Amino acid sequence: MSDVKLDDIVSLAKRRGFVYPGSEIYGGEAGLYDFGPYGVELLNNIKKSWWRRNVQLKENYVGIDSAMFKNPRVWEASGHVAGFADPLAECRECHARIRVDKELAAIGVQADEKMSNEDLNKLFDDNRDKIKCPVCGKQNFTESKPFNMLVQSNLGDFTSENKRPVYLPGEACQGIYLNFKNVVDTTRMKIPFGIAQIGKAFRNEISPRNFLFRTRELEQADTQFFVKPHENKEAYERIKQDRWDWYVSDLGINPEKLRWHQHENLVFYASDAWDIEYSYPSLGFDEVEGIHDRTDYDLSQHMKYSGVDLNYIDPMTQEKYIPWVLETSMGMGRIFMAVMSDAYTVETMENGDTRTVLKLKPELAPVQYAVFPLLKNRPELVAKAREVYEELSKKFVCEWDDNGNIGKRYRRQDEIGTPYCVVIDFQTLEDGTVTVRDRDTTEQKRVKPEETAR
Ligand code: ATP
């Protein structure tokens, strides 16, 4: 773990308009965050990069965007209504709630995901003396009970009893299964092929925490690759490698901060499951993305509950089968946090001052060029700078800044990760050249404005 703390990232995110606590003027709301002007640009650039790699550059993948609300039977078929539960205990003193498995993990005791509630309570009882209430510090908890995380709504129900609750999505990927048949029937996709989607999910997390790491509203970028039964192994390895490569080469994340984690306790239908973990400041290694080999479970369940035949018929051989699914599911908040943390650098400059820089890949940076007239009260400088700004804006995201001294303007751009700052000064008026300052080296070069764009 580096010296950088999670609080440094949270504080920069707030100070520079990346991420704000949700509903802040009302005192906030646990587990909810809003992306600010620079945050939404960075988030969109990460999504663009993901979509490019997983949809546009892959001949055998297509994207969809499904409605968030679904027929409530979907969540019965997926197992969420019956089993999407976390173990919850309440502090008898202050009524704070804890997630028992996570509190046990924090003291080094691993609870098996498949453990019965009774066994989990035994484990909890054996370790109660080591677990303190995070709010009041006391050790007086109720027993642990499973708590379903699905969030209900009354959409389309006009009775006061809400007899047919519908659910906000517990995970984004169900929309892909629901459209598997539509994609087969309306496109030229033939197995093996994949469907990708970025979508919102909602989870009634018992203890949302650690900034964007565990929130109640989240976004997931998912792919599902459909293969012939038993033809999963090679594709699974290829997908794992491809996901790793995206982190390192497309996002520029330091590979030493990444690692694989294989699940030991698989759900009954899964054949293999690995997570990509990132070493977050203050938290250490934890999951960013899950890559799961899920056999034919999901499509079989939807076939059973909907009564619709979801078998695939091979157009060449006429073989009929329910495809197996290889799934990747990445949390956008967690990758956003990983990208920000990885880029966050504090440097001491030659004059002894320190500067904070977000060393983001230029294509991910919220702003690519900042344009500064040296002085804002000199109309000839401002007019020339406007010309440069307008020209660069045709191709790049640019920001205009004529406030304060140049050094302060650089510091501000460093903190939001702008790779290049272009200064228009008196020499520009004489020979047309401008100064381009590089974020990472702080080197300044005089070039013609048309040479700034790279
Ligand atoms: P965890 O064990 O951390 O609760 P999970 O294994 O339940 O996560 P999945 O259901 O596999 O997570 O979801 C896929 C991805 O969605 C995760 O890898 C993570 O990046 C993200 N994710 C899941 N829950 C949350 C959450 N509450 N807040 C932010 N991101 C989340």
Side-chain angles (χ1 to χ4, degrees):
M1 245 182 276
S2 67
D3 295 342
V4 179
K5 302 272 178 289
L6 185 57
D7 281 351
D8 300 328
I9 309 296
V10 177
S11 141
L12 176 78
K14 172 80 199 294
R15 191 170 74 245
R16 290 301 185 200
F18 282 85
V19 182
Y20 307 123
S23 312
E24 201 180 7
I25 61 168
Y26 285 93
E29 186 65 22
L32 299 176
Y33 287 91
D34 297 337
F35 287 91
Y38 296 120
V40 72
E41 293 292 340
L42 174 58
L43 185 71
N44 283 343
N45 290 339
I46 298 172
K47 286 187 200 171
K48 249 188 268 167
S49 163
W50 184 91
W51 195 261
R52 182 101 188 107
R53 182 157 191 133
N54 288 290
V55 182
Q56 296 169 338
L57 289 176
K58 288 195 168 77
E59 221 181 307
N60 56 349
Y61 273 77
V62 286
I64 62 159
D65 187 3
S66 67
M68 264 201 262
F69 282 107
K70 297 172 171 67
N71 184 303
R73 295 267 293 156
V74 169
W75 302 105
E76 289 171 31
S78 68
H80 283 78
V81 172
F84 191 45
D86 278 340
L88 172 148
E90 194 171 307
C91 170
R92 288 200 178 92
E93 310 287 335
C94 73
H95 303 289
R97 284 155 177 193
I98 58 160
R99 196 171 141 182
V100 175
D101 59 336
K102 293 286 173 196
E103 295 298 333
L104 285 168
I107 56 163
V109 178
Q110 286 306 326
D112 184 336
E113 273 176 43
K114 289 183 285 186
M115 218 173 218
S116 69
N117 191 47
E118 202 185 346
D119 287 345
L120 181 70
N121 266 304
K122 270 191 211 133
L123 198 63
F124 185 31
D125 285 343
D126 290 346
N127 292 283
R128 273 174 188 260
D129 56 327
K130 292 179 220 115
I131 300 176
K132 281 196 182 129
C133 171
V135 178
C136 71
K138 306 252 169 65
Q139 293 181 303
N140 187 10
F141 293 106
T142 61
E143 71 169 32
S144 173
K145 282 195 196 130
F147 176 80
N148 192 295
M149 287 194 290
L150 275 183
V151 179
Q152 284 188 14
S153 158
N154 64 348
L155 186 87
D157 188 308
F158 305 102
T159 66
S160 50
E161 301 94 54
N162 194 15
K163 287 191 188 125
R164 183 183 177 264
V166 292
Y167 302 97
L168 283 155
E171 61 184 19
C173 67
Q174 289 300 323
I176 297 184
Y177 299 122
L178 302 186
N179 286 291
F180 165 74
K181 185 170 156 45
N182 280 336
V183 170
V184 170
D185 291 348
T186 58
T187 72
R188 291 175 172 268
M189 288 294 126
K190 289 187 187 58
I191 277 181
F193 76 88
I195 304 180
Q197 168 168 258
I198 298 178
K200 289 256 179 164
F202 299 81
R203 297 181 175 187
N204 232 339
E205 292 281 358
I206 296 162
S207 35
R209 62 172 99 176
N210 297 333
F211 193 40
L212 303 175
F213 188 84
R214 190 167 301 285
T215 52
R216 291 189 173 138
E217 174 174 337
L218 54 134
E219 201 164 24
Q220 293 173 317
D222 295 339
T223 65
Q224 257 126 37
F225 194 64
F226 299 92
V227 297
K228 206 173 154 181
H230 306 287
E231 294 194 356
N232 49 331
K233 288 290 171 231
E234 204 187 317
Y236 188 64
E237 289 313 316
R238 188 166 28 80
I239 289 168
K240 274 175 64 194
Q241 185 62 49
D242 192 58
R243 293 306 303 133
W244 181 274
D245 292 347
W246 178 72
Y247 284 73
V248 177
S249 51
D250 296 21
L251 298 187
I253 291 186
N254 175 1
E256 284 171 18
K257 292 275 180 83
L258 293 168
R259 75 175 187 199
W260 285 109
H261 165 76
Q262 186 173 24
H263 289 219
E264 284 149 22
N265 303 307
L266 293 175
V267 278
F268 66 93
Y269 52 79
S271 132
D272 205 357
W274 290 78
D275 294 335
I276 294 183
E277 296 187 335
Y278 178 77
S279 176
Y280 290 100
S282 309
L283 309 180
F285 278 102
D286 216 328
E287 173 179 345
V288 192
E289 170 161 3
I291 302 169
H292 302 158
D293 188 342
R294 298 177 61 89
T295 68
D296 66 357
Y297 177 75
D298 307 275
L299 287 177
S300 301
Q301 284 290 101
H302 284 304
M303 184 157 146
K304 194 162 112 196
Y305 278 73
S306 68
V308 173
D309 187 357
L310 296 178
N311 272 291
Y312 174 81
I313 301 175
D314 187 308
M316 305 297 280
T317 62
Q318 302 306 307
E319 266 177 290
K320 187 173 164 180
Y321 55 82
I322 296 181
W324 283 20
V325 169
L326 306 170
E327 174 184 273
T328 69
S329 184
M330 178 188 74
M332 288 307 311
R334 291 194 192 176
I335 190 66
F336 181 96
M337 224 169 109
V339 167
M340 264 195 99
S341 309
D342 214 64
Y344 186 96
T345 318
V346 179
E347 284 177 356
T348 306
M349 296 180 301
E350 272 173 21
N351 64 3
D353 288 353
T354 55
R355 68 169 188 142
T356 303
V357 200
L358 273 194
K359 294 193 171 176
L360 296 165
K361 274 199 125 185
E363 53 275 39
L364 295 182
V367 173
Q368 286 151 337
Y369 282 89
V371 180
F372 308 157
L374 182 65
L375 300 168
K376 74 169 162 191
N377 57 2
R378 299 296 291 259
E380 63 280 33
L381 286 181
V382 173
K384 184 70 196 161
R386 278 272 161 214
E387 250 176 57
V388 174
Y389 173 78
E390 272 154 32
E391 204 44 45
L392 280 171
S393 295
K394 289 179 188 163
K395 282 203 202 147
F396 302 97
V397 180
C398 298
E399 188 167 276
W400 173 267
D401 190 0
D402 57 13
N403 245 312
N405 74 43
I406 291 283
K408 277 203 182 128
R409 288 186 245 176
Y410 284 149
R411 283 305 87 77
R412 198 173 160 275
Q413 296 301 329
D414 284 345
E415 288 203 350
I416 62 170
T418 307
Y420 309 109
C421 294
V422 181
V423 180
I424 286 79
D425 55 16
F426 292 104
Q427 198 177 327
T428 314
L429 303 179
E430 280 166 27
D431 63 11
T433 60
V434 295
T435 311
V436 179
R437 183 257 196 187
D438 184 290
R439 174 196 68 196
D440 298 341
T441 60
T442 72
E443 226 172 70
Q444 300 180 17
K445 278 192 194 144
R446 284 211 80 89
V447 296
K448 293 269 181 207
E450 55 276 19
E451 290 163 17
T452 51
R454 30 192 116 178

